[in-house]
Amino acid sequence: MSLILVSLAILVIGALASALWGRTRLATIGPLAAALGSAAAFAAGIACFIDGGSLDLALWWDMPLGSFHIGMDPLSTLFVLLISLVGALAAVYGHGYLGRDSGDGKIAMSWCWYNLLMASMLLVVVARDGFLFLTAWEAMSLASFFLVMYDHEKDEVSRAGWIYLVATHIGTAFLLVMFLLLGHAGDMDFSRLAATGSEATFIFAAALIGFGVKAGFTPLHVWLPEAHPAAPSHVSALMSGVMIKTGIYGILRVMTFLGAPVPWWGWVLVATGVISGVAGVLFALAQHDLKRLLAYHSVENIGIIALGLGIGILGITSGNQALAALGLCGGLLHVINHGLFKSLLFMGAGSVLHATGTREIDHMGGLIKRMPVTGAVFLVGAAAISALPPFNGFVSEFLIYSAGFTGMSQGAAAWGGLAAVAGLALIGGLAAACFTKAFGIVFLGEPRTGQAAKAHESNRLMLWPMITLAVLCAAIGPLAFLAVGLVMPAASQVASGAVTPETLGGLDGFAAGISIMALCMGGLAAFFFFLRGGLLKNRSVQESLTWDCGYAAPNERMQYTASSFARPIVGMFGILLGTRTEIEQPEGLFPAGASLHTHTDDIFVKRAYGPAVMFVSRLAGLFRRLQQGRTNLYILYIVIAILIMLFWNLW
């Protein structure tokens, strides 16, 4: 436990030091403190995992309603490991991404907020008191808001920041209600929070909405595709890979207060998972902005996590231990896996942005020749998020698939299993198509602009974190038995004794089978790679320009664009997406030009939130007439208010 306190102290001191001395020669103190604080937290997580126990520490804190009570159990340990690992790598990457200009106050304050964000995320997952939890949750929201507003002078960034702030505080309002219901006896200590019956129903619903806003469940996701692209790329990696997972942590933590789950919790999570997964990947497929595309994939993967957890709950309520273990382990492992490959992909997108100065996919092309390391690690991330073996996404999705097929044989969970299998199949196919588009248009072919033609590889501080994440994504497949073993204690805690150690132990053999499968896939790929090298060894190999289909004067405009590549699939789901298409057809024997542009708005923003905001704005406009700027009128308002209160009291 002392290591966690050391970690929090380093991060808070690093934040203060960055604000005070970040503009001087001590400019590296911000990323250094973030890396050291994360390393201490990671060591604390490893120590707790090896010991297999839980730690608990309550310090005296003279404040109303709560105390400084923190602790680590298997569920906290899992999230501490993820937060600290990605936080450290993102700090190193961010130091290379933002540069080392010691005189830039904006960078200094950015590291101040980064360290506070790390400290608050760690405090969220180790807090054992409701008031401390909400304080850390609010600090996390504010720190991430200021990080998103890094380029606040840009209108789009300012808009994204305010949307995020409003959304996150709507979620916090639900969490406040939830804790008021849980702590109605006046005690907010986690060990004494409990609820049953209809009260538990309201609390779970409030938790699902409050934490669902942070997690990005559809239709509560609207802040996510706005805020993540606007933030600096290392912040996007941390927010998308890690911070949104605190929403998943919150839901699971609240479930431990509510006793045995009821079936509708599982059904709601399965339905939310299918809707979020399909909607997220469809909107991603229609995007032209690389970081916005990745942001929508976070919505998709949060849906996959919800699917796994929902199936696991259905397993608990139906008494099927194998179904519960597969679903919960698959969902929790996907939390870790998504944290790794999504951070890697956002860092890769940041490297591309750093080299080309644009996020528009249609302004890139041919970058694999100019940025070979970035291209290679982005390809690993793309394969991992598409759940291709032998990478880590394959392992967690295979567990959820297995849970789905197990559920299909169960009367009580058959429809849930069917929804999980069908949903995952559709999501997986669309994700593979989306990343084929993203990687093909960004890295293959010929450069579409002069900026892309002049692109350069990233510096070492940016490359090594990406390489580390790529290695982890590739290693988890062959080491699936270790990865599943990492999440088993947390799954057992969430199941609250509904899954026996014997059932969890049976997953060891299952995970070992996945490892063998991943090794075979990797070995097969390596065999064909070396076979190709051997066959070409004694032959002359010529290199030429990208294949031009026999055309004598090829140029970059002959290549597929993001719109044209995705058009067949986007057209299939046109009713759901509402994509607007602008086509300029070629005319005459010698056409001067032709073009295709597609625009896809978020239907939840366009058809739900937009009209709601307009209604509230018009309603608020009615009260503007009360504001006249005349003091005597305001005194009249006060007198009227006092008279109303007097009459109210007399009545």
Side-chain angles (χ1 to χ4, degrees), residues 284-301:
L285 197 58
Q287 301 305 311
H288 307 162
D289 181 316
L290 183 57
K291 290 182 72 176
R292 195 174 174 85
L293 178 150
L294 295 178
Y296 271 115
H297 272 289
S298 291
V299 179
E300 170 222 331
N301 279 274

Side-chain angles (χ1 to χ4, degrees), residues 85-86 89 93 336-348 372-385 388 390-393 462-479:
L85 175 64
V86 176
L89 294 173
Y93 178 93
I336 301 295
N337 289 339
H338 179 250
L340 298 178
F341 58 64
K342 184 47 67 67
S343 301
L344 169 60
L345 289 167
F346 263 115
M347 290 182 192
V373 179
T374 300
V377 296
F378 192 93
L379 182 60
V380 170
I385 199 172
L388 297 180
F391 299 102
N392 58 343
M462 295 168 68
L463 288 180
W464 279 111
M466 291 193 291
I467 292 171
T468 304
L469 287 168
V471 169
L472 288 172
C473 288
I476 284 180
L479 300 175

Side-chain angles (χ1 to χ4, degrees), residues 556-609:
E556 68 280 0
R557 289 180 60 80
M558 294 176 62
Q559 303 174 109
Y560 268 107
T561 64
S563 297
S564 57
F565 187 96
R567 192 186 177 201
I569 301 176
V570 170
M572 288 170 58
F573 296 92
I575 296 176
L576 297 176
L577 293 172
T579 300
R580 291 175 283 114
T581 304
E582 300 171 6
I583 301 179
E584 182 187 352
Q585 298 283 3
E587 296 181 357
L589 295 176
F590 302 98
S595 64
L596 167 67
H597 299 284
T598 58
H599 305 277
T600 303
D601 300 316
D602 193 314
I603 55 172
F604 296 99
V605 173
K606 186 176 180 180
R607 298 178 185 174
Y609 292 102

Side-chain angles (χ1 to χ4, degrees), residues 331-506:
L332 286 169
L333 185 56
H334 206 70
V335 168
I336 301 295
N337 289 339
H338 179 250
L340 298 178
F341 58 64
K342 184 47 67 67
S343 301
L344 169 60
L345 289 167
F346 263 115
M347 290 182 192
S351 292
V352 169
L353 172 61
H354 195 264
T356 63
T358 181
R359 303 194 315 241
E360 283 295 320
I361 295 174
D362 287 335
H363 294 173
M364 302 174 189
L367 297 184
I368 192 74
K369 297 174 184 174
R370 294 154 184 83
M371 307 175 68
V373 179
T374 300
V377 296
F378 192 93
L379 182 60
V380 170
I385 199 172
S386 302
L388 297 180
F391 299 102
N392 58 343
F394 164 74
V395 179
S396 47
E397 291 200 25
F398 190 83
L399 287 172
I400 300 174
Y401 265 119
S402 302
F405 282 115
T406 304
M408 288 170 66
S409 62
Q410 277 282 316
W415 287 106
L418 181 62
V421 171
L424 268 182
L426 180 60
I427 293 166
L430 292 173
C434 188
F435 275 94
T436 302
K437 178 191 89 169
F439 184 80
I441 294 177
V442 172
F443 289 100
L444 303 183
E446 294 297 323
R448 291 173 171 79
T449 62
Q451 292 170 309
K454 296 176 184 175
H456 55 82
E457 186 57 279
S458 301
N459 58 57
R460 292 182 181 179
L461 285 174
M462 295 168 68
L463 288 180
W464 279 111
M466 291 193 291
I467 292 171
T468 304
L469 287 168
V471 169
L472 288 172
C473 288
I476 284 180
L479 300 175
F481 60 97
L482 291 178
V484 174
L486 177 68
V487 301
M488 275 185 188
S492 177
Q493 183 184 353
V494 173
S496 301
V499 179
T500 62
E502 291 74 20
T503 304
L504 286 171

Side-chain angles (χ1 to χ4, degrees), residues 96-169:
Y97 184 80
L98 294 179
R100 309 178 194 184
D101 187 354
S102 59
D104 194 332
K106 192 164 78 169
I107 294 177
M109 285 309 300
S110 173
W111 284 116
C112 168
W113 295 119
Y114 187 93
N115 278 276
L116 286 179
L117 176 60
M118 284 295 301
S120 56
M121 283 195 296
L122 288 171
L123 200 52
V124 161
V125 298
V126 300
R128 292 294 177 269
D129 180 89
F131 188 78
L132 179 63
F133 180 93
L134 285 175
T135 304
W137 187 269
E138 186 65 8
M140 177 178 72
S141 301
L142 290 177
S144 51
F145 164 72
F146 285 112
L147 284 168
V148 169
M149 295 287 272
Y150 181 77
D151 290 320
H152 60 87
E153 63 277 5
K154 298 178 181 176
D155 290 341
E156 63 177 58
V157 173
S158 179
R159 177 176 178 272
W162 288 112
I163 289 175
Y164 170 55
L165 193 66
V166 170
T168 194
H169 279 92

Side-chain angles (χ1 to χ4, degrees), residues 135-221:
T135 304
W137 187 269
E138 186 65 8
M140 177 178 72
S141 301
L142 290 177
S144 51
F145 164 72
F146 285 112
L147 284 168
V148 169
M149 295 287 272
Y150 181 77
D151 290 320
H152 60 87
E153 63 277 5
K154 298 178 181 176
D155 290 341
E156 63 177 58
V157 173
S158 179
R159 177 176 178 272
W162 288 112
I163 289 175
Y164 170 55
L165 193 66
V166 170
T168 194
H169 279 92
I170 290 173
T172 303
F174 280 91
L175 298 186
L176 191 59
V177 171
M178 180 196 77
F179 274 109
L180 286 175
L181 291 172
L182 277 169
H184 55 76
D187 192 343
M188 297 285 276
D189 194 280
F190 280 8
S191 62
R192 290 182 281 276
L193 296 181
T196 55
S198 59
E199 194 177 45
T201 297
F202 286 114
I203 290 170
F204 182 79
L208 195 65
I209 297 172
F211 290 120
V213 172
K214 186 68 74 181
F217 288 152
T218 300
L220 307 172
H221 69 281

